[in-house]
Amino acid sequence: MKIIPNCDLGRQYRRIKSEIDKAVINTLESGWYVLGKKVESFEKECAAYCSVKYAVGVGNGTEAIHLALVACGGKPGEEAITVPNTAVPTVTAITAAGMFPCFIDIDATSYTLSPEALKEFIAKGTTYRNGKLINKRTQRVISAIVPVHLYGQCADMSPLLQIAKKYRLKVIEDCAQSHGALYKNKKCGSMGDAAAFSFYPTKNLGGFGDGGLVTTNSKAVYEQLLLLRNYGQKDKYIHAAKGFNSRLDEIQAAMLSVKLRYLDKWNNERRAAAHLYSKLLEDTPVILPRENEGRHHVYHLFVVRAPRRAELQEFLRAHGVITAIHYPIPVHLQGSYKDLKLKHGAFPVAEKTCKEIVSLPFFPGITKKEIEEVARLIRTFYSK
């Protein structure tokens, strides 16, 4: 039986193997492996690609959010607004900064932070005094919003930015799954006070290990990030701030520079694959992903909502098709966050969505025949 994997990164590597191998060898021969010319060059390339002034390479995507929050003034004990259906690392980053997540329910079509739910929460669940937004339930100051551009589509940023401006909240975009996505012709990573990217291997711009990056248009935030990622060090052995160890290494930067040149091409291939899936599945019971108005979806994943999900997954597995769930348990219901004292039913849209979503095989290099076979099997399952 031929297996159709949920993800196969080797196919992408083999397409550009000679360029990647050359970049690695050149870096090894240079004798410089941490915070050198490769990182500096890649940062400039990313800043130009995202249409921002500055970019700072860091250790991974989680630390990108963490350091961005700290650099933008987030303080221990404060809260950052985000969504409960994200990957846990989004919230790990918030807690690493000494802050607390303040969850808001999601939009049912884009699976991103709902501006309407946020407005309702502010109207009923907060007070605003002395220039600070206070969560009535916890009595903590809310100082930031971390919108997650989930699955490759940007959150609805215009109303979120308006809310942030009104209540003096910093906006840190979580762009881990959305390299190259657009919102009203603006690149993701260019709209907030700062933005965080992950280069985990499965991402649209994925490295060959961990890596991350923060973008910003603020010189002050940029300078803070340079300190924070490298022990707070301004000059060698001169430490101007209490920092961390979070540095993108030279080898990853060299390989990512190669892959960045192909990002738009690969994103277009993802969009073509997504459109083929959608065409083949349009008259089935599954709810297909939707590209909302004013967005340019880059389909990090192809996520559908499926009736009888467990049965469908088992049927596909029996026929050699591997699926996944991103993500099965909302963060507020994870055991590690039970201290937040949030119960089932707190965020009904996110909770319902998490029970229905399934990620179909989807990766750079997936073939038309593979997509057609997955679609055929899904149609067969629902015809019974």
Side-chain angles (χ1 to χ4, degrees):
M1 181 194 307
K2 181 182 177 182
I3 302 297
I4 301 178
N6 192 251
C7 186
D8 181 357
L9 299 177
R11 298 189 197 185
Q12 184 186 57
Y13 165 64
R14 288 187 287 273
R15 292 171 70 178
I16 55 170
K17 182 180 185 300
S18 61
E19 294 176 74
I20 292 294
D21 293 354
K22 182 179 178 181
V24 172
I25 291 169
N26 287 345
T27 306
L28 292 174
E29 290 180 344
S30 76
W32 195 291
Y33 308 127
V34 177
L35 293 186
K37 292 181 180 179
K38 303 292 186 185
V39 169
E40 184 178 340
S41 176
F42 178 62
E43 289 171 337
K44 290 178 180 177
E45 291 165 5
C46 285
Y49 181 84
C50 292
S51 301
V52 296
K53 293 179 181 178
Y54 309 105
V56 178
V58 297
N60 55 62
T62 307
E63 290 171 358
I65 299 173
H66 168 203
L67 298 191
L69 283 166
V70 175
C72 287
K75 295 180 175 58
E78 295 180 341
E79 294 187 356
I81 290 166
T82 194
V83 289
N85 67 320
T86 184
V88 166
T90 303
V91 182
T92 301
I94 292 169
T95 57
M99 302 175 73
F100 294 86
C102 175
F103 294 116
I104 300 297
D105 215 343
I106 61 170
D107 172 73
T109 60
S110 69
Y111 313 130
T112 60
L113 200 158
S114 166
E116 291 72 26
L118 178 55
K119 290 174 185 175
E120 183 178 356
F121 166 73
I122 289 174
K124 297 179 180 179
T126 70
T127 57
Y128 190 64
R129 59 176 182 266
N130 300 323
K132 294 182 178 181
L133 192 65
I134 312 295
N135 185 334
K136 288 181 180 179
R137 189 177 73 86
T138 63
Q139 293 302 305
R140 289 191 287 257
V141 172
I142 301 171
S143 61
I145 304 177
V146 183
V148 181
H149 302 322
L150 199 66
Y151 303 148
Q153 179 162 228
C154 290
D156 193 0
M157 291 299 293
S158 290
L160 296 181
L161 291 168
Q162 290 171 4
I163 291 168
K165 183 177 181 180
K166 181 177 180 179
Y167 295 103
R168 302 182 184 181
L169 306 176
K170 297 295 183 180
V171 176
I172 314 298
E173 298 174 68
D174 181 346
C175 303
Q177 298 187 358
S178 58
H179 305 78
L182 300 175
Y183 177 83
K184 297 181 179 179
N185 293 319
K186 293 181 180 179
K187 281 277 178 68
C188 77
S190 69
M191 295 172 278
D193 295 279
F197 291 83
S198 167
F199 302 126
Y200 187 76
T202 59
K203 306 305 184 187
N204 289 40
L205 181 59
F208 294 80
D210 278 317
L213 182 110
V214 183
T215 56
T216 185
N217 281 309
S218 166
K219 185 177 181 181
V221 170
Y222 169 67
E223 291 175 345
Q224 269 299 109
L225 289 165
L226 293 178
L227 291 175
L228 291 172
R229 75 171 175 184
N230 194 30
Y231 313 111
Q233 187 170 252
K234 188 172 184 179
D235 294 304
K236 194 167 185 178
Y237 305 131
I238 305 298
H239 298 262
K242 293 178 180 177
F244 308 91
N245 177 10
S246 182
R247 301 173 297 201
L248 181 66
D249 69 69
E250 287 283 284
I251 291 176
Q252 291 296 338
M255 293 186 290
L256 286 162
S257 285
V258 172
K259 295 185 80 173
L260 180 60
R261 298 197 291 267
Y262 293 93
L263 179 57
D264 288 341
K265 177 178 183 293
W266 288 338
N267 280 345
N268 286 334
E269 290 178 6
R270 287 176 180 270
R271 286 175 58 83
H275 293 159
L276 178 57
Y277 258 133
S278 294
K279 180 181 178 181
L280 295 172
L281 295 173
E282 61 184 352
D283 59 349
T284 67
V286 302
I287 299 174
L288 297 166
R290 175 174 139 185
E291 183 175 61
N292 286 27
E293 185 178 356
R295 325 281 174 94
H296 180 81
H297 203 315
V298 293
Y299 294 97
H300 169 60
L301 300 166
F302 192 82
V303 179
V304 302
R305 291 166 63 182
R308 298 158 53 203
R309 179 178 70 183
E311 295 175 55
L312 173 63
Q313 285 189 283
E314 184 56 40
F315 176 82
L316 292 174
R317 187 182 300 110
H319 289 81
V321 173
I322 310 303
T323 60
I325 301 174
H326 299 85
Y327 302 94
I329 303 174
V331 184
H332 68 288
L333 299 179
Q334 297 279 357
S336 52
Y337 290 96
K338 62 184 178 182
D339 59 305
L340 299 175
K341 299 179 181 179
L342 294 166
K343 306 293 185 182
H344 283 275
F347 308 103
V349 181
E351 290 173 32
K352 183 177 188 296
T353 299
C354 288
K355 291 177 181 177
E356 299 172 348
I357 52 172
V358 59
S359 300
L360 302 183
F362 198 79
F363 50 89
I366 190 170
T367 67
K368 179 182 178 183
K369 284 186 178 180
E370 287 172 323
I371 293 171
E372 289 173 340
E373 177 62 8
V374 175
R376 183 189 71 79
L377 288 168
I378 292 174
R379 296 173 71 89
T380 299
F381 174 79
Y382 284 114
S383 70
K384 294 181 178 180

